[in-house]
């Protein structure tokens, strides 16, 4: 049968754990006698509460003097204390007529004179037992691993049974297992999961001071194969994580031994067996910076050329820490690119000296899998900056008041495809300006779409854009004969003149994006009808229009003068004046 007095130190620690669970935000003080007459304190909107924890099972005169001394020290060291709580594993004896001074009388009459204006409370055995019943991890911490044996045996039999109700049973059993693993230690627990057939276990602190009151030292032995490129890459990632924080996954076989120094309770949270049979992940917690660091990612000229060819802002918002320095994490304002930069701690990193990539071993960013859906205004400065990074240029991340991280001249273009992507984004941005719309990067873009967009933007900018091929007119079958007669009556059989087509509104697609271009004119001088024989056969056959046949294609190809799209200004002028372009091409 458990007695709260059987282990005073463990009893006091258990009481502190129950207080911490009952009052989130509680601050505990370590060391004998607490800190200035207080074992813990809690600050709320109602004021500051000080808790004094004792393991006494009865209060004789000596122990009462100890409590009084603690209260006096608390009054002196915490002048803004509004409430003082004695936590003790006993219920006070009530005041009775004719009896000697009871604990109730002492607590309600003597102690208030030592702390004027402070509310006094007593959390006794009943309070502790009630809290203990709701926190099995603390109960096990006090009673030992054999507590609740019968309940665990019943649950073990349940775990061996089939999941008759499927996911409903699974959820209930997982909840039970999580409760049981939480009971193993009052300070630590294990989170577990199964993903893609792989079982994951993560050690997690349950209290903020777990690493102080129940420290765990883990000494693993790692093995990497020398001369193996993949192992060398993994080793570099592993060493960077230790030095600057971050995350690295080690497959099975890289950890060959683990030595663990911990309490008996915490040690039971580690799986026994050969560690080489399991994979491991090493992660550093990410801390959110109090204020984001605004940086600039720049492309500079070659050696001796400090001109900034292009740049865009980067905001670093989180960090991890390691033995050597920190890794800062962030991205551009739109969240398109993810940045990581490793920085050593001062004095190695100064505000004036250049930090090379060797000294700051990580300066990298990652693209999303696709640019689809990102707005064109946000993409333009990014892809423009990346497009000017050509062989010989330098890359720099400028960190105000911290210095900068810079690479030497690059040997080859570091961002393949950036020039083509920038051209497409810039053309879409130009179309935004003309149409007054706001676009996002489209999906399903083809090379033909890119060429057609480039032609359309050229027309916007006053160019007459040469057409790559011929032109096709679609005729009704019954009109083919009349169409051929008109061509034959033209000088030179239609070759001396040309075809001119103009439209007030032209639509075309760039991937799944529909663009309304506006006025457009097409001039096809000196065309040649390439399928004349086919059209003559259709005209001679006497097609019945009631048959509902589809349209007939009349294919024209250039001869001595290429076809072209006219600039949008010329197209608009014709729509206003009716003046056709001259055959000279002007």
């Amino acid at each position: 049968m458990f007695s709260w007095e059987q282990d005073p130190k463990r009893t006091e620690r258990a009481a502190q754990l129950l207080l911490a669970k009952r009052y989130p935000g509680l601050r505990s003080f370590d060391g004998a006698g607490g800190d200035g007459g207080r074992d813990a304190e809690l600050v709320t909107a109602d004021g500051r509460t000080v808790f004094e924890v004792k393991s006494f099972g009865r209060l004789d005169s000596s122990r009462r003097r100890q409590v009084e001394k603690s209260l006096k020290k608390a009054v002196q060291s915490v002048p803004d204390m509004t409430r003082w709580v004695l936590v003790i594993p006993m219920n006070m004896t009530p005041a009775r007529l004719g009896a000697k001074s009871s604990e109730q009388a002492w607590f309600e009459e003597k102690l208030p004179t030592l702390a004027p204006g402070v509310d006094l409370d007593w959390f006794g055995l009943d309070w502790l037992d009630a809290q203990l019943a709701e926190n099995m991890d603390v109960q096990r911490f006090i009673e030992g691993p054999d507590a609740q044996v019968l309940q665990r045996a019943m649950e073990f039999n349940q775990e061996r049974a089939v999941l008759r109700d499927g996911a409903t049973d699974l959820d209930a059993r997982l909840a039970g297992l999580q409760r049981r693993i939480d009971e193993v230690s009052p300070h630590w627990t294990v989170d577990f999961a199964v993903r893609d057939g792989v079982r994951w276990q993560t050690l997690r602190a349950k209290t903020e001071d777990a690493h102080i009151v129940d420290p765990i030292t883990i000494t693993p032995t790692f093995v990497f194969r020398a001369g193996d490129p993949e192992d060398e890459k993994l080793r570099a990632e592993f060493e960077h994580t230790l030095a600057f924080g971050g995350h690295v996954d080690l497959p099975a076989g890289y950890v060959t031994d683990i030595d663990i120094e911990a309490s008996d309770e915490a040690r039971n949270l580690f799986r026994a067996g050969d560690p080489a049979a399991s994979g491991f992940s090493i992660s550093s917690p990410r801390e959110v910076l109090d204020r984001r660091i605004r940086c600039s990612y720049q492309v500079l000229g070659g050696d001796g050329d400090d001109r900034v060819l292009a740049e865009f802002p980067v905001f670093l918002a989180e960090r991890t820490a390691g033995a050597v320095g920190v890794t800062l994490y962030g991205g551009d304002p739109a969240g398109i690119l993810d940045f990581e930069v490793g920085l050593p701690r001062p004095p190695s990193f100064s505000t004036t000296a250049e930090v090379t990539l060797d000294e700051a071993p990580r300066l990298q960013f990652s693209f999303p899998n696709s640019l689809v859906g990102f707005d064109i205004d946000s993409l333009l400065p990014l892809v423009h900056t990346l497009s000017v990074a050509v062989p010989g240029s330098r890359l720099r991340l400028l960190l105000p008041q911290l210095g900068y991280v810079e690479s030497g001249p690059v040997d080859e273009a570091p961002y393949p495809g950036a020039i083509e992507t920038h051209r497409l984004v810039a053309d879409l941005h130009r179309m935004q300006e003309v149409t007054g719309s706001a676009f996002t990067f489209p999906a399903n873009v083809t090379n033909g779409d890119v060429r057609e967009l480039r032609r359309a933007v050229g027309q916007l900018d006053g160019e007459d854009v040469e057409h790559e091929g011929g032109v096709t007119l679609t005729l009704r079958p019954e009109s083919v004969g009349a169409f051929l007669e008109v061509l034959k009556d033209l000088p030179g059989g239609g070759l001396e003149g040309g075809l001119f087509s103009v439209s007030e509104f032209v639509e075309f697609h760039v991937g799944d994006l529909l663009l309304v271009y506006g006025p457009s004119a097409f001039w096809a001088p000196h065309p040649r009808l390439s399928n004349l024989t086919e059209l003559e056969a259709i005209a001679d056959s006497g097609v019945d229009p009631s048959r509902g046949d589809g349209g007939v294609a009349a294919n024209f190809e250039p001869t001595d003068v290429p076809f072209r799209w006219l600039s949008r200004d010329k197209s608009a002028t014709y729509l206003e004046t009716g003046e056709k372009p001259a055959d000279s091409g002007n």
Side-chain angles (χ1 to χ4, degrees):
M1 190 68 173
F2 166 72
S3 170
W4 280 91
E5 283 191 285
Q6 67 185 15
D7 187 339
K9 289 185 177 179
R10 185 169 288 232
T11 293
E12 291 182 8
R13 181 55 188 162
Q16 289 184 348
L17 288 169
L18 293 174
L19 286 171
K21 289 174 174 288
R22 177 65 179 81
Y23 299 106
L26 184 83
R27 179 188 179 195
S28 295
F29 299 95
D30 301 305
D35 180 75
R38 51 183 170 165
D39 289 304
E41 70 173 29
L42 177 70
V43 178
T44 66
D46 296 328
R48 188 183 303 271
T49 299
V50 171
F51 297 87
E52 180 67 23
V53 180
K54 297 297 185 185
S55 59
F56 306 149
R58 282 264 62 87
L59 279 172
D60 55 24
S61 58
S62 175
R63 289 176 173 177
R64 291 188 188 190
R65 285 194 295 272
Q66 290 186 44
V67 174
E68 294 168 5
K69 181 179 179 181
S70 296
L71 178 56
K72 291 177 182 179
K73 290 179 65 176
V75 171
Q76 294 173 356
S77 60
V78 191
D80 61 342
M81 176 176 63
T82 57
R83 183 183 180 212
W84 182 85
V85 180
L86 177 63
V87 184
I88 186 169
M90 59 170 289
N91 293 323
M92 69 171 67
T93 57
R96 296 191 302 272
L97 186 62
K100 293 183 178 180
S101 177
S102 67
E103 282 135 1
Q104 181 181 2
W106 166 78
F107 188 82
E108 294 180 354
E109 297 173 10
K110 174 67 180 296
L111 292 191
T113 64
L114 306 178
V118 177
D119 293 331
L120 305 183
D121 279 328
W122 177 300
F123 286 180
L125 183 61
D126 290 344
W127 187 90
L128 288 169
D129 285 343
Q131 299 300 313
L132 193 64
E134 298 176 5
N135 295 279
M136 295 301 298
D137 55 343
V138 183
Q139 181 174 334
R140 176 167 171 154
F141 172 73
I142 298 172
E143 296 182 359
D146 292 333
Q148 304 292 322
V149 171
L150 293 178
Q151 175 68 22
R152 287 175 175 77
M154 181 180 68
E155 292 183 357
F156 175 74
N157 289 332
Q158 290 177 350
E159 295 308 322
R160 293 168 62 90
V162 298
L163 295 173
R164 184 178 61 184
D165 293 332
T168 301
D169 278 355
L170 175 64
D171 184 66
R173 294 188 195 180
L174 288 176
L177 289 172
Q178 187 64 63
R179 287 194 300 271
R180 292 308 174 212
I181 199 66
D182 281 349
E183 296 168 8
V184 171
S185 166
H187 308 101
W188 303 91
T189 189
V190 169
D191 295 326
F192 52 86
V194 180
R195 293 193 293 271
D196 299 327
V198 179
R199 297 187 300 277
W200 294 77
Q201 297 182 9
T202 304
L203 184 68
R204 174 172 56 84
K206 295 164 64 175
T207 58
E208 292 184 359
D209 60 349
H211 63 291
I212 298 174
V213 298
D214 190 8
I216 298 175
T217 301
I218 304 173
T219 307
T221 301
F222 301 93
V223 175
F224 297 90
R225 295 183 295 269
D228 186 312
E230 291 298 322
D231 272 34
E232 293 295 336
K233 180 180 179 181
L234 184 60
R235 180 182 184 126
E237 188 74 14
F238 166 71
E239 291 177 346
H240 176 86
T241 300
L242 296 183
F244 295 89
H247 177 92
V248 63
D249 294 318
L250 297 176
Y254 286 88
V255 179
T256 59
D257 186 42
I258 296 179
D259 181 47
I260 299 172
E261 295 182 15
S263 65
D264 292 339
E265 295 86 5
R267 187 182 294 275
N268 286 331
L269 296 174
F270 292 87
R271 186 170 58 190
D274 181 9
S278 301
F280 291 84
S281 296
I282 301 174
S283 295
S284 307
R286 284 202 185 188
E287 304 174 33
V288 178
L289 301 178
D290 294 335
R291 186 176 63 180
R292 296 190 304 169
I293 302 174
R294 191 184 193 281
C295 311
S296 180
Y297 187 72
Q298 304 173 332
V299 177
L300 287 72
D303 279 337
D305 183 359
D306 288 333
R307 289 178 303 130
V308 177
L309 305 181
E311 62 183 324
F312 60 82
V314 174
F315 292 89
L316 303 176
E318 297 178 300
R319 75 171 184 178
T320 58
V324 175
V326 299
T327 297
L328 299 174
Y329 302 87
D332 63 281
I336 301 172
L337 306 179
D338 293 325
F339 270 77
E340 292 184 22
V341 55
L343 298 177
R345 291 189 180 91
S348 300
F349 186 66
S350 70
T351 59
T352 56
E354 172 184 344
V355 178
T356 68
L357 289 180
D358 291 335
E359 294 170 316
R362 172 160 297 179
L363 170 57
Q364 65 181 36
F365 64 83
S366 56
F367 285 91
N369 293 330
S370 171
L371 297 181
V372 173
F374 289 110
D375 68 270
I376 296 302
D377 286 328
S378 298
L379 281 172
L380 185 59
L382 307 187
V383 295
H384 173 235
T385 302
L386 303 185
S387 70
V388 300
V390 297
S393 61
R394 293 175 292 148
L395 310 178
R396 171 186 288 181
L397 182 66
L398 180 65
L399 299 93
Q401 299 181 344
L402 291 176
Y404 55 85
V405 180
E406 181 178 312
S407 75
V410 296
D411 296 329
E412 57 185 25
Y415 312 113
I419 294 178
E420 293 78 6
T421 303
H422 172 241
R423 184 71 272 168
L424 172 58
V425 172
D427 285 346
L428 288 171
H429 188 266
R430 182 75 174 93
M431 291 299 293
Q432 278 191 164
E433 295 175 336
V434 173
T435 61
S437 303
F439 301 147
T440 59
F441 196 89
N444 306 314
V445 179
T446 67
N447 290 333
D449 295 337
V450 174
R451 289 193 296 270
E452 186 172 8
L453 176 63
R454 180 89 285 279
R455 170 192 60 75
V457 172
Q459 291 176 262
L460 289 175
D461 294 336
E463 300 176 18
D464 286 356
V465 182
E466 188 170 308
H467 194 269
E468 294 180 349
V471 62
T472 298
L473 301 180
T474 302
L475 310 173
R476 295 193 306 273
E478 65 272 19
S479 67
V480 172
F483 177 75
L484 294 178
E485 288 298 325
V486 171
L487 288 181
K488 290 177 182 179
D489 291 341
L490 292 175
L495 295 179
E496 296 299 327
L499 301 174
F500 181 72
S501 174
V502 65
S503 175
E504 186 174 359
F505 292 102
V506 173
E507 296 179 347
F508 65 95
H509 284 85
V510 179
D512 59 1
L513 177 64
L514 176 63
L515 298 179
V516 180
Y517 177 74
S520 181
F522 183 81
W523 173 230
H526 303 186
R528 181 178 67 86
L529 190 58
S530 61
N531 63 336
L532 176 61
T533 302
E534 176 187 351
L535 295 178
E536 288 176 339
I538 293 174
D540 294 339
S541 65
V543 177
D544 183 0
S546 65
R547 291 171 52 191
D549 291 347
V552 177
N555 300 322
F556 289 91
E557 295 179 351
T559 53
D560 56 329
V561 181
F563 300 166
R564 67 186 183 277
W565 293 96
L566 303 185
S567 71
R568 209 167 77 146
D569 289 344
K570 290 182 179 178
S571 304
T573 298
Y574 174 76
L575 286 171
E576 293 174 2
T577 65
E579 180 183 349
K580 296 183 178 65
D583 189 67
S584 62
N586 296 323

